Structures are given as C-alpha cells and as structure tokens.
Amino acid sequence: MSPVRERYTVAVVGAGAAGALTAVHLCETATRRRTPIDLVLIDPAPEAGRGTAYSTRDPGHWLNVPAGGMSCYPDDPGHFMRWLCRHGEPGVTAGEFSTRYRYGAYLADTLAQAIVRAHGTVAVLRLAVRAEHIAGAPGGGVVLRLADGTRVDADAAVLATGPAAPTAGWAPAELRTADGFIATPWAVGALDGPLADDSDVLLVGSGLTSVDLALTLERPGRTVHTVSRNGLLPQPHTLTPAAPVPAPEGIHDAPYERLRRIVYRHVARAVRLHGDWRPALDSLRPHTARLWSRLTPEECAEFLRRDGALWNTHRHRMAPATGESILRARTARRLALHAGTVTSAAVRADGSLDVGLSDGRDLHVGWVIDCTGPGPVLEDPLWRSLFEAGAAVPGPLGMGVATLDGRLLDGRGDTGLPLYTLGAPRRGELWETTAIPEIRVQAAALAQDLLAPLAPRRRTTRRPLDGHGLALSTHAEAAAAYRTGLDRILKVRAGAEDSLTRAVRLDPGFALGHAALALLGHECGAAVDVPRALAEAQRCAKERACERERSFVEVVTRRVHGGDGDAALVRHLEHHPADALALAVAVPTIAFSGVDDLDDDYALRLVEGTSAAYDGHWFHTSLLAFLRQEQGRLHEAGELAHRALAVEPASGHAVHALAHVHYESGAHRAGRDWLERWVAGRGRGAVHRAHFSWHIALHELALDDPAAVRRRWFTQLAPGRVTGVRALVDSGSLLWRARLSDSWRGDLPAADVLDAVQAEVLERPATAFTAMHCAIALTAVGDLAALRRLRDHAAAADEVQREVIAPLCDAFAALVEERFREAARGLDALLPVLRRVGGSAAQREVVEETLLYALTADGRCDAAARLLDARLERTQAPRDRRMRAGLPA
C-alpha cells in the first residue's frame, strides 16, 4: 500500500529510451520552474535508459542515426557528441555513428545527471517491477497495480512502453510450438542456442532487427537466410552525406495521388543533381507527421500497401559500417536474401526444422527467429486493462493507440484519464515516431504539458536587482551570486565563472545566468559547455524572463551561432543602455571581442550614448578612458583612468587604458613600475594577468633591457603559464618582437607557443585579429606550409581576412624565404589598412617592426632610418635609438 500523496506525482511506466527521455525532461523542466514533484519510474529492467534497443553488447550493432541526431535535447543537438568526447571518443563528428550499447550508457548517464541536478525539487523513486493494471482513481489521477502487488497512486502517468510485442501470427502452428523457434530474440539468453551450434538460421523479416541479428549470427560454414515479403534490406547511410535540400513546394495542399507524384519527382531530381536520393528523403522528415495526419484512413492504408516497404527500407537506414558488413556477408554467401513468406514448417527428430517458402524453396535450418518487428496492437496486461475498460482504443489502422498530442483518447474520443504516451504507441497517429529525434521532441512537450497545471502564480514581490538597477528574474540568493559574477566580469577579475555557476545552481531557471556563462565560454575560453548553457538560457527565457533578459539571451545566441549578433547587441543597448554586461561585450578593450569593425567614433558614440545610465560609474569611466587613448587623447584618457581607479582600484579596464597611455606617451619607466606594482597587488586576481605582463614586457623591450624581457617571458608568459589564444597573442608576439630588435639571443621558443594553441585556431582562426597573430607565430618558427594554409583559409573567410590577412601571410612567407624586398613592399602596403584587423595600436605595431626588419635585411637603410625617425618622433624609446644609431650612414 502506497503512502498518501502530498506532492504532484507523475508515474512513468517504462525506463527505456522513451521513458528515460521523459524522466530527463520532467526533472529539468520541474527544476527550472522550481516546481516540486514526485517522479516514479516503473520498469523491471536492471538499468534505466537501455530498454531493448540499447542493451545489446555486440560491438557490431550500430545506431542507425548518426551522432549529430541522437542528443537527448532537441535544442542542443551536439550534447551526445560532447558526451562521447568526454568518454573516450575525442574529435567525434556529427556524421559519425556510435554503438547501441554506448548510446544506452549515454541515456543512463544523462538521466542520472538530471536526477542529481533536480535533487531537492524532484524526488525520484525507481521500482524494478512490471506494471500490470491501470485505472482511474476516485478522487482524480490514476492507480497503477504492479506485478508484486504494490499500488502506486499518481496524478498522471506516462506509458513509455515502447513498440508492441510481435505476435508471430505469420508462423504456422507447428513452428510456433517448436523448440527451434525464437519469438523474442532480444530476451536475455534467447540467442544462446543459435550461438552454440553451426546450423543454418532463418530470420523472418529483413528490417534493422534482422540486420543486427544477421551480423551476430553469421560465421564461416553457416548460412543465415532472411525472408520478407519484399526481400528488401534497409539502405545504408553514406560516409559523406550530400548537401541538404529543401522539401518540395505544395506538399501540404496536394491530394494523395498528386503528393505521391511530387515526392517521386523530388527524389528523382535529387538523384540527378546530387547523385543521391537521401537528401530528398531527409528533407521530408520534418513534414512527415503533418502529411500523414492529412491522409484519410483509406489513403494511409494505400500508402502502406504500395509504398510502405520502400519507404521503410530507405527511411530507416543502416550505419555505413553495418552496410559494409552485410555486403561482405552476402558476397561470401553467408547471408541469403529471399522474397516471400513462410508457408509450412516441420520438425525433424533432431529438433531441426524444414521450412517451406512461398517461392517454392525449402530450407533446412536449426533455428527460426521472428524479426518481423512490432505487432500492430499493444497487448501486454497494462494496455489490455485500458482497452477493456474503454480508457484507451487502438489507433488508426489498428496501429498503436489513439491519442491527442500524446494524451490517450477513450472510447468516446475524449481525453479521459490523465494518461499520456510517446514513441511507438503513437505510430498510428504520427507514422514516424520511433526514432530518437522524434521521441525527444515528444518527451520535452510532455514535460511541459504535465507541469503546466502546476505553473506558479505570478509573484507580486519586487524582483532583486543587479548592480546597475536592472531587475533579475530570480530569487535573492541567486541574484547575489550573479551580482558577484557580473562585478568580476566588469573588473576583469577571476572567479566570475564560479559565481555564475553558483547562481544557476541556486536557480536552474535563471536565464540570464546561463546566458552569461555561455558568453564567458564562447568569448573568454571559460570551462563552460557553451551549447548546453545556451540551450538552458533559451529554455529558461521562454518560461521565466523579462523582455531585457530575453533580448540578451538572443544577443548571446546570435554571437555564438553567427548571424547579425553585432546588430542585435547594438539594438539591445539602445533599449537597455544600463545593461553593463552588454556594454562590456560591445566595446573591445580586454575582456570581450567587441563589435566587429567598430571604429573609434562609433564606439565612442555607443559609450557616450549610455553615459546617462551610469552617472559617472567607474566601469563606464574605464571604458571611456580606453576609447580616449585609442583616439590619441592620452592626457584625457589618463585622467579618466585615474578617476576610475580612485573609486575602484581593481578595475582592469582602467588599468588597461592606463597601460596604453604610458606606452603611447613613451613613459616606459613610469609605466613599467606602476603596472608592476599593480600586477603584484590589486592585479593578483585579474583574469588577463598575462596581457598585463605583456604590457610590462613591452616597456622593458622599449627600454632595451633584453635580460628583463627574457625573465618576464619565462616567469609570466611562457606556455604552461599562458595557454590558448592568449599565449598566441601575448607570448608569441613578444618573442617575435624581441627577435626583430635583436633583444633575444639563442633559440626562440616560438614552437612551444604553437604547441599551447589548438590546431583548429591555428588552421582556421575565427577573427582577423587572431589570424594576424597566427601568422606572426608561424613566421617565427619558419613554417611556410602552415603560413600558406592560413593564407588559403583567410582568402575564403570574411572580408578583413581576405583583404588584409591573406596578403599579410604572403609578405611573411616572403620574409621566411628571405625575399626581403618583396616582404617589405607587401608589409608597407598593409600599414594603412592594418587597423581593420582590430586590437590596439600597440598590438598592431608588430607589423611595423617586421617591416623595419625587412628593410634593414634588404639593405635599404635609408628607408629603415626614415621609419625609425618617425617612431622616435612619436615616443623616445632607448631600443629605437640604439637601432637608429646602428644603421650605416
């Protein structure tokens, strides 16, 4: 006898793929909404998540959908791929296939993680027993009776029971009672007999189940026979899928016969244009359920009779590896395919079977295995109890069960009891409903529907605020953690990721917290699962967020996925100028990449246009200081930076502005000493300490102190202390500048910098600024082949990379090959447009210094002298004076 229910209770019957996905989405939706529920999972299987399909341990049993389509989350398609990367398969791509058992482990792990995250909101009870009867409860809800006599009361139940069991109605009576007949091949121990001897085997049915069993059972000396009405095997996926094509127009308004002609012409056209029918068939997938629902029962039956087999063999395909194995087995004549039906069977004295086929062929086999797939009607005791009570009725054409958006319809055509189903039982209603891409969408929708009656009332209390007076759609404790994280972002200090993670842990439904984490991962390299955080932000924004928060989530989405992210960010700031995080993202200083091609005047207008919302706040003053020094108004920039630092000495943006003021004004000793003190003090918690160390090293380089530069590099900038793009931009460029000015003697450890950077960044940098520094590091190690690959990438990338980086790579390649005149000519032509690359003048100065080296190496000392004189007019640097004095008259 179960205890009295105190909280809303949902029972999920079946813990295979459909049940696990339902439980995952229930846990996560309830947690986001802070809706306490009890969740009861009922299934006799020893492990949740596997079911029949994903319990097989045979390594030759592959998924029939590539990894990119098997995520548990419809809005996060890369989730399964990232799980594989974390569990021993690094570098897996969306088009690769995984094993069924591996996928079962993924489902089980994802469910376990969802339950852990939901702790305190969702109480989960797992009952390893079969449910046998279900009925309505007198006070509402349902009562389930289990095989062990237990009673479970629930407010609603989801019947995730999977496909109907096969009926073997095709088999002669003599065969059904024979010891050599296996009706349920996936049952534990069912294949022990066929695996133990070498007798031939007959598989009845030629779908994916038959294919998997054929691979398990085929061996030298044995013939595996497969028989089906059409004699067709599933088609394989291709190793390199063709480009997707749009669905044909007019399919939703065409009558059945015309629709049929449209589809056949669409497939034929894809074969003509692409040499492959698969893109055409895949383009219909999003439309299949709607098309099926438009057909009359007679038209559905006609489709099944004329085209059902052809559709199934082309729509439900084998993995490429499976297709190759099947082809080898057929070529070796260990797999024989027959078109027909079983007409007779006789049992010999030794237990073997003589089976007659409708084509006149007689087979002598040791085993006959039913692979015909699910039966049309759900007939286990649980479903029978519903059919007998009139609480459920069979679906169209007798397939599955009748539903309305997943809720069971009773004998009167109404949604009676609070009973839901998904996956295979909805086959009659949806036709295509047995694959993970469809089931996960149904599971997410069910979670929304089940919890809709429990939606919390709109709160009348005031929402907490961020540090700039903007309301936050969360509770006070999560808001406090978010304010700490935001404060650290604005100061450019470490710990922001931890604070934001704490905020979303305290309130998993806090959209802004998830969006900020996604932003840190995408733009700052924080250890964040960006697609996951972004998907959470989008889900939460739909359920609980104000207009400003939804707008910011959209901004982050566009920046991560591409598109008009910059335009969306500018529009957001026009409506919400006090959004300090958005302003930090928009203005490129040190923390974020900023808006592409944001010139100084536009950036200045953006910052000045938001000044009224900040009233002299130190963060806004810091940004203004940085922009003033970019304009060359160094004195004003210095005053603004000091004003901000007087209020907040840890403001990284103000420190960065002041570092540039010192360098551009030639105050190298004062700049070195001031920045050294700050890094050792307030700067100890700065995120980009390496960049501040780079600024100190620039002063030391200008002061012509090679020993200090060398110490700085090894103690603060060497790979291991600095990694990723930061190592490329700061450590790599410093080494090259030291070599150009003869301030680094001996081996140049530039190869160590390249080893600290991901190959993807070096081969295909996303921005022109990163690409420029890739070119510098590759030039430093003299890697001509990599420079040319980078040049080819730039030539096919955005406009700035095409027009600036590609010729820059050519000039650097000429330098490596000691074609100094050609190198100097190319570098000199690029100086006027180099600003388009982004970054600061101090960072772009490395190209001018490379030009100086090329001129000197080419013997053009007069041109080198003019360039050095111009530099010395800007700032008096001892290194430049030494180099000028060293030039021959």
Side-chain angles (χ1 to χ4, degrees):
M1 191 169 178
S2 67
V4 176
R5 287 180 287 115
E6 296 181 354
R7 301 199 304 179
Y8 192 82
T9 301
V10 178
V12 177
V13 180
L21 287 169
T22 302
V24 165
H25 285 282
L26 276 171
C27 285
E28 297 197 352
T29 304
T31 303
R32 283 196 305 273
R33 296 182 177 183
R34 289 180 276 168
T35 302
I37 65 168
D38 290 332
L39 177 59
V40 185
L41 292 176
I42 304 169
D43 191 303
E47 184 179 5
R50 293 199 175 275
T52 300
Y54 308 115
S55 295
T56 171
R57 291 180 176 270
D58 191 324
H61 290 174
W62 297 89
L63 296 171
N64 65 306
V65 175
M70 295 296 287
S71 168
C72 288
Y73 305 97
D75 53 1
D76 185 7
H79 189 261
F80 179 46
M81 291 184 290
R82 299 196 303 278
W83 184 90
L84 288 172
C85 290
R86 293 194 303 269
H87 291 80
E89 298 183 41
V92 66
T93 63
E96 294 182 45
F97 290 77
S98 188
T99 64
R100 294 185 181 278
Y101 192 79
R102 193 85 164 133
Y103 188 72
Y106 163 70
L107 284 175
D109 185 53
T110 303
L111 175 57
Q113 294 295 326
I115 291 172
V116 169
R117 288 192 297 270
H119 179 70
T121 302
V122 181
V124 180
L125 175 64
R126 173 83 160 86
L127 299 177
V129 63
R130 188 177 303 279
E132 294 189 337
H133 186 276
I134 188 168
V142 293
V143 178
L144 295 97
R145 296 196 180 277
L146 312 185
D148 63 358
T150 303
R151 163 180 165 160
V152 174
D153 295 315
D155 293 282
V158 178
L159 307 184
T161 54
T167 61
W170 54 268
E174 299 86 352
L175 181 58
R176 286 199 297 268
T177 59
D179 291 338
F181 178 64
I182 300 174
T184 53
W186 297 118
V188 177
L191 299 180
D192 289 350
L195 290 170
D197 64 36
D198 292 328
S199 58
D200 290 354
V201 178
L202 173 62
L203 307 178
V204 182
S206 59
L208 293 169
T209 295
S210 178
V211 165
D212 280 345
L213 291 179
L215 294 181
T216 297
L217 298 172
E218 68 99 7
R219 66 182 66 169
R222 162 185 280 175
T223 300
V224 176
H225 298 273
T226 297
V227 63
S228 64
R229 292 181 184 277
N230 50 68
L232 298 175
L233 286 174
Q235 294 292 309
H237 287 276
T238 57
L239 285 171
T240 54
V245 299
E249 296 181 0
I251 56 176
H252 293 294
D253 301 319
Y256 173 67
E257 284 299 335
R258 186 174 166 222
L259 171 63
R260 190 170 181 271
R261 290 193 299 271
I262 290 173
V263 169
Y264 271 91
R265 283 199 299 267
H266 180 55
V267 173
R269 185 172 185 271
V271 173
R272 287 197 310 272
L273 295 179
H274 305 282
D276 190 359
W277 49 265
R278 293 169 182 83
L281 210 63
D282 293 343
S283 72
L284 299 173
R285 185 168 188 165
H287 307 275
T288 304
R290 183 178 170 190
L291 292 173
W292 178 263
S293 67
R294 283 186 52 247
L295 301 182
T296 66
E298 293 76 20
E299 289 170 337
C300 289
E302 178 72 3
F303 166 77
L304 294 177
R305 184 183 66 80
R306 295 171 66 185
D307 302 306
L310 199 61
W311 172 271
N312 283 330
T313 55
H314 287 74
R315 167 67 185 80
H316 302 287
R317 303 194 278 272
M318 298 183 281
T322 303
E324 291 174 7
S325 298
I326 289 293
L327 180 60
R328 284 197 299 269
R330 293 188 70 184
T331 303
R333 299 190 177 183
R334 294 198 295 267
L335 176 62
L337 195 60
H338 309 284
T341 58
V342 174
T343 57
S344 64
V347 182
R348 292 189 181 186
D350 63 356
S352 62
L353 299 163
D354 290 317
V355 180
L357 303 182
S358 60
D359 63 358
R361 186 185 299 269
D362 292 317
L363 301 177
H364 177 233
V365 297
W367 306 87
V368 176
I369 303 177
D370 187 354
C371 302
T372 56
V377 181
L378 299 157
E379 289 192 349
D380 68 35
L382 182 69
W383 284 104
R384 268 203 309 273
S385 69
L386 291 169
F387 291 140
E388 290 169 359
V393 293
L397 304 180
M399 295 190 300
V401 61
T403 66
L404 177 63
D405 296 330
R407 186 161 179 175
L408 268 59
L409 296 175
D410 59 21
R412 296 169 298 183
D414 296 329
T415 53
L417 298 177
L419 295 173
Y420 301 79
T421 192
L422 74 165
R426 297 184 66 184
R427 187 162 167 250
E429 175 197 358
L430 301 174
W431 174 240
E432 288 289 334
T433 181
T434 58
I436 293 297
E438 284 79 36
I439 296 174
R440 67 190 181 190
V441 172
Q442 297 172 30
L446 271 186
Q448 298 284 336
D449 292 345
L450 285 164
L451 299 180
L454 308 180
R457 297 177 182 176
R458 187 177 295 276
R459 297 187 305 173
T460 57
T461 57
R462 290 185 58 189
R463 292 184 296 163
L465 306 177
D466 71 2
H468 299 270
L470 299 178
L472 301 172
S473 298
T474 186
H475 54 71
E477 194 174 1
Y482 176 81
R483 282 194 296 270
T484 300
L486 177 60
D487 184 64
R488 289 172 174 169
I489 291 173
L490 301 185
K491 291 176 181 174
V492 198
R493 297 188 69 77
E497 176 192 338
D498 294 338
S499 297
L500 294 173
T501 300
R502 173 173 167 75
V504 297
R505 190 179 296 124
L506 290 167
D507 181 5
F510 184 23
L512 204 56
H514 290 294
L517 277 172
L519 189 68
L520 286 184
H522 175 66
E523 300 216 4
C524 304
V528 175
D529 186 340
V530 174
R532 171 79 176 169
L534 185 58
E536 289 284 4
Q538 293 165 338
R539 295 169 198 153
C540 299
K542 292 176 184 176
E543 295 180 356
R544 171 166 51 91
C546 65
E547 188 278 329
R548 175 186 72 90
E549 292 166 324
R550 289 194 298 271
S551 173
F552 187 78
V553 169
E554 180 63 20
V555 166
V556 177
T557 300
R558 291 176 183 271
R559 288 184 77 83
V560 171
H561 293 315
D564 63 341
D566 291 344
L569 178 56
V570 172
R571 287 195 303 269
H572 176 84
L573 282 167
E574 288 172 354
H575 291 92
H576 309 285
D579 192 332
L581 181 53
L583 187 60
V585 173
V587 181
T589 55
I590 187 173
F592 297 100
S593 60
V595 174
D596 288 343
D597 297 329
L598 186 64
D599 60 53
D600 293 342
D601 291 338
Y602 190 88
L604 191 61
R605 288 198 301 272
L606 191 63
V607 173
E608 289 179 337
T610 58
S611 60
Y614 291 89
D615 193 25
H617 191 275
W618 60 264
F619 165 68
H620 192 271
T621 304
S622 300
L623 294 186
L624 190 57
F626 190 85
L627 292 177
R628 290 294 188 223
Q629 65 82 24
E630 285 284 290
Q631 290 180 300
R633 296 161 65 172
L634 301 180
H635 180 72
E636 185 178 352
E639 287 187 343
L640 288 167
H642 282 297
R643 187 188 307 167
L645 289 167
V647 178
E648 179 46 73
S651 173
H653 291 294
V655 172
H656 194 211
L658 199 55
H660 279 278
V661 168
H662 284 141
Y663 185 78
E664 300 297 340
S665 63
H668 296 301
R669 293 187 189 280
R672 176 198 62 189
D673 296 343
W674 185 90
L675 197 50
E676 183 92 79
R677 289 193 300 272
W678 185 85
V679 168
R682 292 281 185 176
R684 293 175 68 88
V687 174
H688 299 290
R689 287 191 72 195
H691 189 63
F692 294 121
S693 296
W694 174 83
H695 270 283
I696 300 173
L698 280 194
H699 287 307
E700 292 168 337
L701 200 60
L703 291 168
D704 211 16
D705 190 347
V709 172
R710 197 179 185 93
R711 283 195 304 272
R712 183 79 52 193
W713 197 89
F714 280 111
T715 58
Q716 297 177 5
L717 290 166
R721 300 181 182 277
V722 188
T723 58
V725 175
R726 194 82 269 167
L728 192 69
V729 171
D730 295 330
S731 310
S733 68
L734 178 68
L735 280 178
W736 181 237
R737 293 171 83 153
R739 167 55 59 86
L740 291 173
S741 61
D742 201 26
S743 299
W744 189 287
R745 302 293 176 85
D747 293 336
L748 197 72
D752 296 341
V753 174
L754 293 177
D755 290 340
V757 183
Q758 290 180 328
E760 175 76 14
V761 173
L762 291 171
E763 297 278 346
R764 291 174 291 278
T767 67
F769 179 73
T770 303
M772 181 184 77
H773 285 87
C774 289
I776 291 166
L778 293 172
T779 303
V781 298
D783 193 338
L784 275 172
L787 261 176
R788 287 173 179 140
R789 289 196 300 271
L790 179 61
R791 192 246 181 245
D792 292 342
H793 161 77
D798 59 79
E799 181 182 351
V800 179
Q801 292 210 49
R802 289 196 306 271
E803 297 180 2
V804 181
I805 299 303
L808 183 67
C809 289
D810 289 335
F812 281 155
L815 189 77
V816 173
E817 293 180 321
E818 298 186 356
R819 293 182 282 115
F820 297 118
R821 178 152 301 195
E822 187 178 337
R825 189 184 306 117
L827 294 171
D828 188 51
L830 287 170
L831 287 183
V833 297
L834 198 61
R835 190 182 193 87
R836 298 175 63 194
V837 168
S840 66
Q843 289 169 316
R844 297 188 298 269
E845 193 179 48
V846 64
V847 176
E848 183 184 69
E849 292 173 359
T850 308
L851 169 61
L852 180 61
Y853 175 84
L855 290 171
T856 306
D858 190 43
R860 296 169 60 191
C861 298
D862 52 345
R866 286 195 297 272
L867 182 55
L868 278 169
D869 288 341
R871 287 167 62 90
L872 287 166
E873 282 183 17
R874 294 199 303 264
T875 60
Q876 286 293 317
R879 175 202 53 189
D880 288 354
R881 287 200 300 270
R882 186 253 302 168
M883 294 175 67
R884 179 65 178 86
L887 289 175

